[in-house]
Protein backbone atom coordinates (compact mmCIF):
# COMPACT_ATOMS: atom_id res chain seq x y z
CA UNK A 1 0.00 0.00 0.00
CA UNK A 2 2.83 2.43 0.76
CA UNK A 3 4.71 1.75 -2.48
CA UNK A 4 2.06 2.84 -4.96
CA UNK A 5 1.84 6.54 -4.01
CA UNK A 6 5.61 6.98 -4.35
CA UNK A 7 6.02 5.12 -7.60
CA UNK A 8 2.96 6.36 -9.48
CA UNK A 9 4.11 9.98 -10.03
CA UNK A 10 7.57 8.75 -10.94
CA UNK A 11 6.12 6.52 -13.68
CA UNK A 12 3.69 9.12 -15.00
CA UNK A 13 6.24 10.98 -17.16
CA UNK A 14 7.59 7.97 -19.12
CA UNK A 15 4.05 6.64 -19.46
CA UNK A 16 2.79 9.95 -20.86
CA UNK A 17 5.70 10.39 -23.27
CA UNK A 18 5.72 6.73 -24.33
CA UNK A 19 2.03 6.77 -25.23
CA UNK A 20 2.42 10.10 -27.04
CA UNK A 21 5.39 8.98 -29.13
CA UNK A 22 3.77 5.64 -29.91
CA UNK A 23 0.60 7.36 -31.10
CA UNK A 24 2.62 9.74 -33.28
CA UNK A 25 4.59 6.86 -34.80
CA UNK A 26 1.32 5.25 -35.81
CA UNK A 27 -0.04 8.53 -37.17
CA UNK A 28 3.11 9.21 -39.20
CA UNK A 29 3.10 5.68 -40.59
CA UNK A 30 -0.49 6.05 -41.78
CA UNK A 31 -0.74 9.66 -42.93
CA UNK A 32 2.63 11.46 -43.24
CA UNK A 33 4.66 11.24 -46.43
CA UNK A 34 7.08 13.29 -48.50
CA UNK A 35 6.31 14.95 -51.80
CA UNK A 36 7.02 12.86 -54.88
CA UNK A 37 10.41 13.75 -56.39
CA UNK A 38 10.03 15.86 -59.50
CA UNK A 39 11.61 14.79 -62.76
CA UNK A 40 11.50 18.28 -64.25
CA UNK A 41 14.70 20.26 -63.92
CA UNK A 42 12.87 23.54 -63.22
CA UNK A 43 10.88 22.05 -60.33
CA UNK A 44 13.97 20.39 -58.89
CA UNK A 45 15.88 23.66 -59.04
CA UNK A 46 13.01 25.51 -57.37
CA UNK A 47 12.87 23.04 -54.48
CA UNK A 48 16.64 23.20 -54.05
CA UNK A 49 16.57 27.01 -53.94
CA UNK A 50 13.79 26.95 -51.32
CA UNK A 51 15.75 24.55 -49.13
CA UNK A 52 19.02 26.44 -49.45
CA UNK A 53 17.32 29.77 -48.70
CA UNK A 54 15.28 28.49 -45.71
CA UNK A 55 17.49 25.95 -43.95
CA UNK A 56 20.17 28.45 -42.76
CA UNK A 57 17.39 30.45 -41.07
CA UNK A 58 15.99 27.22 -39.64
CA UNK A 59 19.38 26.31 -38.16
CA UNK A 60 19.65 29.76 -36.56
CA UNK A 61 16.23 29.33 -34.96
CA UNK A 62 17.22 25.88 -33.67
CA UNK A 63 20.27 27.38 -31.96
CA UNK A 64 18.08 30.15 -30.50
CA UNK A 65 15.53 27.80 -28.99
CA UNK A 66 17.70 24.87 -27.88
CA UNK A 67 20.82 26.70 -26.72
CA UNK A 68 19.98 30.38 -26.33
CA UNK A 69 16.60 30.10 -24.64
CA UNK A 70 17.73 27.09 -22.63
CA UNK A 71 20.70 28.97 -21.20
CA UNK A 72 18.57 32.06 -20.58
CA UNK A 73 16.45 30.00 -18.18
CA UNK A 74 19.45 28.85 -16.11
CA UNK A 75 19.44 31.94 -13.88
CA UNK A 76 18.04 29.74 -11.09
CA UNK A 77 21.26 28.38 -9.52
CA UNK A 78 19.99 24.90 -8.57
CA UNK A 79 17.61 24.41 -11.49
CA UNK A 80 19.99 24.47 -14.47
CA UNK A 81 19.68 20.80 -15.44
CA UNK A 82 15.90 21.02 -15.25
CA UNK A 83 15.63 24.31 -17.15
CA UNK A 84 17.77 23.11 -20.05
CA UNK A 85 16.26 19.63 -20.24
CA UNK A 86 12.64 20.65 -19.85
CA UNK A 87 13.08 23.36 -22.49
CA UNK A 88 14.55 20.78 -24.91
CA UNK A 89 11.85 18.24 -24.09
CA UNK A 90 9.01 20.75 -24.54
CA UNK A 91 10.42 21.91 -27.87
CA UNK A 92 10.52 18.36 -29.25
CA UNK A 93 7.11 17.47 -27.83
CA UNK A 94 5.35 20.66 -28.92
CA UNK A 95 6.84 20.65 -32.42
CA UNK A 96 5.57 17.13 -33.13
CA UNK A 97 2.16 17.89 -31.63
CA UNK A 98 1.86 21.10 -33.67
CA UNK A 99 2.97 19.29 -36.82
CA UNK A 100 0.14 16.78 -36.43
CA UNK A 101 -2.51 19.38 -35.67
CA UNK A 102 -1.45 21.76 -38.45
CA UNK A 103 -1.33 18.87 -40.90
CA UNK A 104 -4.90 17.89 -40.03
CA UNK A 105 -6.13 21.49 -40.21
CA UNK A 106 -4.33 22.79 -43.28
CA UNK A 107 -2.66 20.04 -45.29
CA UNK A 108 -4.77 16.88 -45.07
CA UNK A 109 -5.61 16.00 -48.70
CA UNK A 110 -6.64 12.61 -50.07
CA UNK A 111 -5.76 10.92 -46.80
CA UNK A 112 -2.14 12.15 -46.80
CA UNK A 113 -0.10 15.00 -45.33
CA UNK A 114 2.97 15.93 -47.38
CA UNK A 115 5.83 16.99 -45.14
CA UNK A 116 8.30 19.71 -46.08
CA UNK A 117 10.70 22.11 -44.38
CA UNK A 118 8.23 24.98 -44.28
CA UNK A 119 5.64 22.92 -42.38
CA UNK A 120 8.31 21.87 -39.89
CA UNK A 121 9.40 25.49 -39.46
CA UNK A 122 5.87 26.71 -38.78
CA UNK A 123 5.39 23.89 -36.27
CA UNK A 124 8.50 25.06 -34.47
CA UNK A 125 7.03 28.55 -34.31
CA UNK A 126 4.00 27.05 -32.56
CA UNK A 127 6.33 25.34 -30.08
CA UNK A 128 7.90 28.72 -29.25
CA UNK A 129 4.65 29.78 -27.58
CA UNK A 130 4.98 26.92 -25.09
CA UNK A 131 8.63 27.68 -24.34
CA UNK A 132 7.76 31.30 -23.54
CA UNK A 133 4.64 30.51 -21.50
CA UNK A 134 6.35 28.07 -19.13
CA UNK A 135 8.62 30.90 -18.01
CA UNK A 136 5.82 32.16 -15.78
CA UNK A 137 5.80 28.96 -13.68
CA UNK A 138 9.41 27.84 -14.13
CA UNK A 139 10.69 25.87 -11.15
CA UNK A 140 7.32 25.47 -9.48
CA UNK A 141 5.76 22.95 -11.90
CA UNK A 142 6.51 19.29 -12.59
CA UNK A 143 7.42 17.99 -16.07
CA UNK A 144 4.01 16.34 -16.33
CA UNK A 145 2.30 19.66 -15.66
CA UNK A 146 4.43 21.33 -18.34
CA UNK A 147 3.58 18.64 -20.91
CA UNK A 148 -0.15 18.92 -20.19
CA UNK A 149 0.20 22.69 -20.51
CA UNK A 150 1.84 22.23 -23.93
CA UNK A 151 -0.87 19.80 -25.01
CA UNK A 152 -3.55 22.38 -24.23
CA UNK A 153 -1.72 25.47 -25.51
CA UNK A 154 -0.84 24.32 -29.04
CA UNK A 155 -4.45 23.88 -30.34
CA UNK A 156 -5.52 27.17 -28.73
CA UNK A 157 -2.56 28.92 -30.36
CA UNK A 158 -3.37 27.47 -33.79
CA UNK A 159 -6.98 28.61 -33.47
CA UNK A 160 -5.96 32.07 -32.30
CA UNK A 161 -3.42 32.43 -35.09
CA UNK A 162 -5.99 31.39 -37.70
CA UNK A 163 -8.44 34.02 -36.45
CA UNK A 164 -5.79 36.75 -36.26
CA UNK A 165 -3.93 36.11 -39.53
CA UNK A 166 -6.52 34.51 -41.81
CA UNK A 167 -9.81 36.00 -40.63
CA UNK A 168 -8.65 39.45 -39.53
CA UNK A 169 -5.73 39.74 -41.95
CA UNK A 170 -3.34 41.07 -39.31
CA UNK A 171 0.18 41.78 -40.55
CA UNK A 172 2.66 40.22 -38.11
CA UNK A 173 5.68 38.74 -39.83
CA UNK A 174 7.76 38.33 -36.66
CA UNK A 175 5.03 36.90 -34.44
CA UNK A 176 4.83 39.87 -32.06
CA UNK A 177 1.06 39.49 -31.65
CA UNK A 178 0.49 35.86 -32.57
CA UNK A 179 3.47 34.42 -30.64
CA UNK A 180 4.87 36.79 -28.02
CA UNK A 181 1.67 38.41 -26.75
CA UNK A 182 -0.34 35.20 -26.92
CA UNK A 183 2.25 33.10 -25.10
CA UNK A 184 2.83 35.77 -22.45
CA UNK A 185 -0.77 36.09 -21.35
CA UNK A 186 -1.42 32.37 -21.68
CA UNK A 187 1.46 31.76 -19.26
CA UNK A 188 0.22 34.45 -16.86
CA UNK A 189 -3.27 32.95 -16.96
CA UNK A 190 -1.86 29.52 -16.14
CA UNK A 191 0.17 30.98 -13.27
CA UNK A 192 -2.80 32.83 -11.80
CA UNK A 193 -5.08 29.77 -11.88
CA UNK A 194 -2.40 27.32 -10.76
CA UNK A 195 -1.32 29.29 -7.71
CA UNK A 196 -4.71 31.01 -7.21
CA UNK A 197 -4.58 33.83 -4.70
CA UNK A 198 -1.71 32.39 -2.69
CA UNK A 199 1.16 34.81 -2.16
CA UNK A 200 4.35 33.09 -3.28
CA UNK A 201 7.17 34.12 -0.91
CA UNK A 202 10.73 34.39 -2.12
CA UNK A 203 12.15 30.89 -2.14
CA UNK A 204 15.67 30.44 -0.71
CA UNK A 205 16.73 28.61 -3.91
CA UNK A 206 15.22 31.28 -6.15
CA UNK A 207 17.94 33.90 -5.81
CA UNK A 208 20.42 33.85 -8.73
CA UNK A 209 24.14 33.52 -8.16
CA UNK A 210 26.89 35.24 -10.20
CA UNK A 211 27.63 32.00 -12.07
CA UNK A 212 23.97 31.31 -12.89
CA UNK A 213 23.44 34.91 -14.02
CA UNK A 214 26.53 34.67 -16.22
CA UNK A 215 25.23 31.49 -17.86
CA UNK A 216 21.87 33.17 -18.45
CA UNK A 217 23.57 36.20 -19.99
CA UNK A 218 25.38 33.91 -22.44
CA UNK A 219 21.94 32.66 -23.49
CA UNK A 220 20.86 36.27 -24.04
CA UNK A 221 23.84 36.90 -26.32
CA UNK A 222 23.03 33.81 -28.40
CA UNK A 223 19.41 34.88 -28.76
CA UNK A 224 20.49 38.43 -29.65
CA UNK A 225 22.78 37.24 -32.45
CA UNK A 226 20.27 34.92 -34.12
CA UNK A 227 17.05 36.88 -33.55
CA UNK A 228 16.96 38.48 -37.05
CA UNK A 229 16.59 34.99 -38.55
CA UNK A 230 13.53 34.37 -36.37
CA UNK A 231 11.87 37.56 -37.58
CA UNK A 232 12.82 37.36 -41.27
CA UNK A 233 12.45 33.66 -42.08
CA UNK A 234 8.78 33.88 -43.17
CA UNK A 235 9.26 37.02 -45.25
CA UNK A 236 9.26 36.84 -49.01
CA UNK A 237 12.91 36.57 -50.14
CA UNK A 238 14.17 39.85 -51.49
CA UNK A 239 13.45 43.39 -50.36
CA UNK A 240 11.01 42.46 -47.59
CA UNK A 241 13.38 39.95 -46.01
CA UNK A 242 16.32 42.32 -46.34
CA UNK A 243 14.31 45.10 -44.72
CA UNK A 244 13.18 42.82 -41.87
CA UNK A 245 16.77 41.85 -41.07
CA UNK A 246 17.95 45.47 -41.05
CA UNK A 247 15.05 46.73 -38.92
CA UNK A 248 15.54 43.91 -36.41
CA UNK A 249 19.28 44.57 -36.07
CA UNK A 250 18.67 48.28 -35.56
CA UNK A 251 15.94 47.72 -32.97
CA UNK A 252 17.97 45.20 -31.00
CA UNK A 253 21.12 47.31 -30.99
CA UNK A 254 19.08 50.23 -29.65
CA UNK A 255 17.45 48.05 -27.01
CA UNK A 256 20.85 46.80 -25.82
CA UNK A 257 22.17 50.32 -25.33
CA UNK A 258 18.95 51.60 -23.76
CA UNK A 259 18.91 48.68 -21.33
CA UNK A 260 22.30 49.71 -19.97
CA UNK A 261 21.14 53.31 -19.61
CA UNK A 262 17.81 52.44 -17.95
CA UNK A 263 19.29 49.81 -15.63
CA UNK A 264 22.03 52.14 -14.46
CA UNK A 265 19.56 54.97 -13.79
CA UNK A 266 17.11 52.68 -12.03
CA UNK A 267 19.64 51.25 -9.58
CA UNK A 268 20.51 53.62 -6.77
CA UNK A 269 24.23 52.94 -6.93
CA UNK A 270 24.31 53.20 -10.73
CA UNK A 271 25.35 49.58 -11.21
CA UNK A 272 23.83 47.27 -13.81
CA UNK A 273 21.34 44.54 -13.00
CA UNK A 274 22.02 41.19 -14.72
CA UNK A 275 18.29 40.54 -14.93
CA UNK A 276 17.76 43.77 -16.84
CA UNK A 277 20.54 42.91 -19.29
CA UNK A 278 19.25 39.38 -19.81
CA UNK A 279 15.79 40.59 -20.82
CA UNK A 280 15.88 44.23 -21.89
CA UNK A 281 18.50 43.55 -24.58
CA UNK A 282 15.99 41.29 -26.35
CA UNK A 283 12.94 43.53 -26.02
CA UNK A 284 13.63 45.29 -29.31
CA UNK A 285 13.40 42.00 -31.19
CA UNK A 286 9.98 41.33 -29.68
CA UNK A 287 8.57 44.75 -30.53
CA UNK A 288 9.94 45.11 -34.06
CA UNK A 289 8.54 41.81 -35.35
CA UNK A 290 5.12 43.14 -36.30
CA UNK A 291 6.51 46.00 -38.45
CA UNK A 292 9.84 44.50 -39.47
CA UNK A 293 9.00 44.08 -43.17
CA UNK A 294 7.13 47.37 -43.49
CA UNK A 295 8.78 50.43 -44.96
CA UNK A 296 9.37 52.13 -41.62
CA UNK A 297 12.32 54.52 -41.54
CA UNK A 298 15.49 53.35 -39.77
CA UNK A 299 14.98 55.97 -37.07
CA UNK A 300 11.61 54.39 -36.23
CA UNK A 301 13.26 50.98 -35.73
CA UNK A 302 15.82 52.55 -33.38
CA UNK A 303 13.11 54.40 -31.47
CA UNK A 304 10.96 51.30 -31.11
CA UNK A 305 13.93 49.30 -29.84
CA UNK A 306 14.79 51.97 -27.27
CA UNK A 307 11.20 52.34 -26.04
CA UNK A 308 10.71 48.59 -25.71
CA UNK A 309 13.90 48.21 -23.64
CA UNK A 310 12.91 51.09 -21.36
CA UNK A 311 9.43 49.61 -20.86
CA UNK A 312 10.96 46.19 -20.10
CA UNK A 313 13.39 47.52 -17.48
CA UNK A 314 10.72 49.70 -15.86
CA UNK A 315 8.41 46.70 -15.79
CA UNK A 316 10.95 44.72 -13.77
CA UNK A 317 11.50 47.66 -11.45
CA UNK A 318 7.89 48.69 -10.77
CA UNK A 319 5.16 46.70 -12.52
CA UNK A 320 6.21 43.17 -11.52
CA UNK A 321 6.34 43.96 -7.78
CA UNK A 322 2.99 45.76 -8.09
CA UNK A 323 1.28 42.83 -9.84
CA UNK A 324 2.74 40.41 -7.33
CA UNK A 325 1.55 42.50 -4.41
CA UNK A 326 -1.88 43.56 -5.66
CA UNK A 327 -2.91 40.63 -7.87
CA UNK A 328 -0.69 37.91 -6.34
CA UNK A 329 0.48 37.22 -9.91
CA UNK A 330 3.54 35.01 -10.07
CA UNK A 331 5.84 35.55 -13.08
CA UNK A 332 9.09 33.71 -12.48
CA UNK A 333 10.97 34.75 -15.63
CA UNK A 334 9.35 38.14 -16.12
CA UNK A 335 7.71 37.14 -19.41
CA UNK A 336 5.28 40.04 -19.05
CA UNK A 337 8.19 42.48 -19.17
CA UNK A 338 10.03 40.84 -22.07
CA UNK A 339 7.17 39.55 -24.22
CA UNK A 340 3.95 41.23 -23.05
CA UNK A 341 4.82 44.91 -22.68
CA UNK A 342 7.17 45.17 -25.72
CA UNK A 343 4.64 43.12 -27.71
CA UNK A 344 1.84 45.57 -26.92
CA UNK A 345 4.18 48.44 -27.80
CA UNK A 346 4.98 46.77 -31.13
CA UNK A 347 1.29 46.19 -31.88
CA UNK A 348 0.59 49.86 -31.21
CA UNK A 349 3.50 50.78 -33.48
CA UNK A 350 1.97 48.68 -36.27
CA UNK A 351 -1.26 50.67 -36.02
CA UNK A 352 0.69 53.90 -36.31
CA UNK A 353 2.83 52.54 -39.17
CA UNK A 354 -0.26 51.53 -41.13
CA UNK A 355 -1.94 54.89 -40.65
CA UNK A 356 1.08 56.96 -41.68
CA UNK A 357 2.21 54.66 -44.48
CA UNK A 358 2.92 56.36 -47.81
CA UNK A 359 0.27 55.97 -50.49
CA UNK A 360 3.07 54.96 -52.85
CA UNK A 361 3.35 51.30 -51.88
CA UNK A 362 6.19 50.40 -54.22
CA UNK A 363 8.81 48.65 -52.11
CA UNK A 364 6.69 48.80 -48.96
CA UNK A 365 4.49 45.75 -49.40
CA UNK A 366 4.32 43.59 -46.27
CA UNK A 367 4.85 40.01 -47.31
CA UNK A 368 4.57 37.55 -44.48
CA UNK A 369 3.49 33.99 -45.16
CA UNK A 370 0.48 32.37 -43.63
CA UNK A 371 0.68 29.10 -41.65
CA UNK A 372 -0.98 27.24 -44.48
CA UNK A 373 1.93 28.10 -46.73
CA UNK A 374 0.26 30.81 -48.78
CA UNK A 375 0.90 34.52 -48.85
CA UNK A 376 -0.94 36.40 -46.15
CA UNK A 377 -0.93 39.52 -48.29
CA UNK A 378 -2.36 37.89 -51.42
CA UNK A 379 -4.97 40.07 -53.03
CA UNK A 380 -3.60 43.37 -51.76
CA UNK A 381 -1.11 44.10 -54.52
CA UNK A 382 -1.25 47.66 -55.78
CA UNK A 383 -3.07 48.94 -52.71
CA UNK A 384 -1.12 47.49 -49.80
CA UNK A 385 -4.34 46.74 -47.87
CA UNK A 386 -6.75 46.42 -50.80
CA UNK A 387 -10.37 47.47 -50.32
CA UNK A 388 -9.85 47.64 -46.57
CA UNK A 389 -7.78 50.81 -46.61
CA UNK A 390 -5.24 52.00 -44.06
CA UNK A 391 -7.90 52.78 -41.44
CA UNK A 392 -9.47 49.35 -41.76
CA UNK A 393 -6.11 47.62 -41.54
CA UNK A 394 -5.24 49.63 -38.43
CA UNK A 395 -8.50 48.48 -36.80
CA UNK A 396 -7.63 44.90 -37.72
CA UNK A 397 -4.22 45.25 -36.09
CA UNK A 398 -5.89 46.45 -32.88
CA UNK A 399 -8.49 43.68 -33.08
CA UNK A 400 -5.74 41.10 -33.47
CA UNK A 401 -4.12 42.37 -30.28
CA UNK A 402 -7.44 42.09 -28.43
CA UNK A 403 -8.03 38.54 -29.69
CA UNK A 404 -4.53 37.42 -28.70
CA UNK A 405 -4.81 38.82 -25.17
CA UNK A 406 -8.40 37.69 -24.54
CA UNK A 407 -8.09 34.18 -25.96
CA UNK A 408 -4.77 33.48 -24.29
CA UNK A 409 -5.86 34.70 -20.87
CA UNK A 410 -9.07 32.68 -20.89
CA UNK A 411 -7.38 29.52 -22.16
CA UNK A 412 -4.52 29.98 -19.71
CA UNK A 413 -6.87 30.26 -16.74
CA UNK A 414 -8.67 27.07 -17.77
CA UNK A 415 -5.39 25.23 -18.35
CA UNK A 416 -3.98 26.38 -15.01
CA UNK A 417 -7.07 25.06 -13.25
CA UNK A 418 -6.54 21.68 -14.92
CA UNK A 419 -2.90 21.61 -13.82
CA UNK A 420 -4.00 21.58 -10.20
CA UNK A 421 -4.98 17.90 -10.51
CA UNK A 422 -3.03 15.94 -7.85
CA UNK A 423 -2.08 13.20 -10.32
CA UNK A 424 0.22 15.64 -12.18
CA UNK A 425 2.68 15.61 -9.26
CA UNK A 426 3.15 19.30 -8.57
CA UNK A 427 6.28 19.63 -6.40
CA UNK A 428 5.86 20.81 -2.82
CA UNK A 429 7.05 24.34 -2.13
CA UNK A 430 10.13 23.27 -0.17
CA UNK A 431 11.41 21.20 -3.12
CA UNK A 432 10.85 23.78 -5.87
CA UNK A 433 13.78 25.13 -7.91
CA UNK A 434 15.90 22.06 -7.24
CA UNK A 435 17.38 19.67 -9.82
CA UNK A 436 17.64 16.87 -7.28
CA UNK A 437 13.89 16.39 -7.53
CA UNK A 438 14.18 15.24 -11.16
CA UNK A 439 17.82 14.32 -11.75
CA UNK A 440 20.30 11.91 -10.23
CA UNK A 441 23.13 14.25 -9.32
CA UNK A 442 26.27 12.42 -8.27
CA UNK A 443 27.66 15.00 -5.85
CA UNK A 444 24.41 15.20 -3.93
CA UNK A 445 24.05 11.42 -3.90
CA UNK A 446 27.50 10.98 -2.41
CA UNK A 447 27.33 13.85 0.07
CA UNK A 448 23.74 14.69 0.98
CA UNK A 449 23.04 18.02 2.60
CA UNK A 450 23.34 17.88 6.37
CA UNK A 451 19.98 19.58 6.91
CA UNK A 452 18.04 17.27 4.61
CA UNK A 453 15.36 15.55 6.64
CA UNK A 454 13.85 12.12 6.22
CA UNK A 455 10.55 13.78 5.34
CA UNK A 456 12.13 15.81 2.54
CA UNK A 457 13.82 12.71 1.17
CA UNK A 458 10.52 10.87 1.10
CA UNK A 459 8.87 13.77 -0.70
CA UNK A 460 11.69 13.87 -3.22
CA UNK A 461 11.21 10.18 -3.96
CA UNK A 462 7.48 10.60 -4.29
CA UNK A 463 7.62 13.62 -6.57
CA UNK A 464 10.60 12.65 -8.73
CA UNK A 465 9.36 12.02 -12.27
Amino acid sequence: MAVAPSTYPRRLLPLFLGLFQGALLLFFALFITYDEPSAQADDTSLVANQVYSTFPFFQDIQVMLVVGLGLLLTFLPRYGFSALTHNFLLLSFSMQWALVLQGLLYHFHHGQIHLDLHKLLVSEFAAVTVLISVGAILGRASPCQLLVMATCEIPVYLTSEWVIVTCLGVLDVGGTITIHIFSCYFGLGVSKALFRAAQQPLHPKETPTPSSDLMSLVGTLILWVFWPSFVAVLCQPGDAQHRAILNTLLAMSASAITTVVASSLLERDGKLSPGHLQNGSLAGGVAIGVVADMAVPPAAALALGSLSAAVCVLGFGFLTPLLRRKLTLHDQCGIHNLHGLPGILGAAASVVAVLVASKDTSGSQPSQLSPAGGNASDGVEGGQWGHRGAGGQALCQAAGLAVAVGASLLAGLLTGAALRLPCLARPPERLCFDDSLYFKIQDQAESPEPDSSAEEGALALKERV
Side-chain angles (χ1 to χ4, degrees), residues 3 131 193 217 457:
V3 177
L131 304 185
L217 187 57

Side-chain angles (χ1 to χ4, degrees), residues 329-360:
L329 184 61
H330 177 78
D331 182 9
Q332 185 63 48
C333 294
I335 61 173
H336 189 229
N337 304 316
L338 175 55
H339 301 277
L341 297 178
I344 293 174
L345 182 63
S350 73
V351 173
V352 175
V354 167
L355 291 176
V356 302
S358 172
K359 293 183 180 180
D360 179 14

Side-chain angles (χ1 to χ4, degrees), residues 49-379:
N49 289 335
Q50 290 175 342
V51 172
Y52 296 148
S53 63
T54 303
F55 190 65
F57 288 105
F58 184 82
Q59 286 180 306
D60 291 350
I61 295 170
Q62 288 282 87
V63 174
M64 282 181 64
L65 301 181
V66 176
V67 184
L69 184 56
L71 290 176
L72 181 65
L73 300 177
T74 59
F75 65 95
L76 297 169
R78 299 185 60 178
Y79 202 70
F81 282 108
S82 302
L84 279 167
T85 305
H86 294 165
N87 179 76
F88 185 40
L89 174 64
L90 286 170
L91 174 62
S92 303
F93 176 89
S94 302
M95 183 180 66
Q96 292 187 55
W97 179 226
L99 190 64
V100 169
L101 292 181
Q102 290 197 76
L104 292 174
L105 289 173
Y106 298 123
H107 313 294
F108 194 74
H109 303 295
H110 307 293
Q112 293 289 324
I113 299 171
H114 293 275
L115 186 63
D116 58 30
L117 185 59
H118 180 263
K119 294 182 181 68
L120 197 64
L121 174 64
V122 175
S123 299
E124 194 147 282
F125 269 56
V128 173
T129 61
V130 176
L131 304 185
I132 295 173
S133 296
V134 299
I137 58 175
L138 185 72
R140 280 193 159 99
S142 70
C144 290
Q145 286 179 309
L146 299 181
L147 290 171
V148 171
M149 179 177 171
T151 305
C152 298
E153 183 172 2
I154 293 296
V156 178
Y157 162 75
L158 294 177
T159 304
S160 170
E161 185 198 39
W162 177 78
V163 172
I164 293 171
V165 175
T166 305
C167 298
L168 296 177
V170 172
L171 303 174
D172 184 20
V173 68
T176 298
I177 297 173
T178 55
I179 295 178
H180 294 285
I181 291 178
F182 174 88
S183 57
C184 168
Y185 289 100
F186 185 93
L188 294 180
V190 169
S191 176
K192 182 61 180 177
L194 180 59
F195 304 120
R196 291 185 179 176
Q199 184 72 38
Q200 298 293 330
L202 185 66
H203 198 282
K205 302 173 186 175
E206 193 176 349
T207 304
T209 62
S211 59
S212 66
D213 267 335
L214 180 60
M215 191 69 70
S216 181
L217 187 57
V218 172
T220 295
L221 298 179
I222 294 173
L223 288 168
W224 195 95
V225 168
F226 291 110
W227 203 288
S229 295
F230 182 86
V231 173
V233 65
L234 292 183
C235 288
Q236 290 282 14
D239 289 341
Q241 197 168 69
H242 184 213
R243 190 163 50 243
I245 293 172
L246 294 177
N247 283 333
T248 304
L249 286 171
L250 289 174
M252 297 197 70
S253 63
S255 67
I257 293 174
T258 305
T259 297
V260 174
V261 174
S263 180
S264 180
L265 292 176
L266 194 62
E267 299 294 330
R268 293 181 180 179
D269 54 5
K271 296 181 180 180
L272 301 179
S273 166
H276 295 164
L277 295 176
Q278 292 156 9
N279 294 274
S281 303
L282 304 174
V286 174
I288 197 65
V290 68
V291 297
D293 63 336
M294 298 182 186
V296 296
L302 287 172
L304 186 57
S306 295
L307 285 174
S308 60
V311 166
C312 179
V313 173
L314 292 174
F316 275 103
F318 301 103
L319 186 57
T320 295
L322 180 66
L323 294 177
R324 196 165 193 169
R325 186 172 62 254
K326 298 296 185 181
L327 300 180
T328 62
L329 184 61
H330 177 78
D331 182 9
Q332 185 63 48
C333 294
I335 61 173
H336 189 229
N337 304 316
L338 175 55
H339 301 277
L341 297 178
I344 293 174
L345 182 63
S350 73
V351 173
V352 175
V354 167
L355 291 176
V356 302
S358 172
K359 293 183 180 180
D360 179 14
T361 61
S362 59
S364 63
Q365 177 65 43
S367 58
Q368 51 264 56
L369 299 179
S370 68
N375 194 334
S377 58
D378 284 345

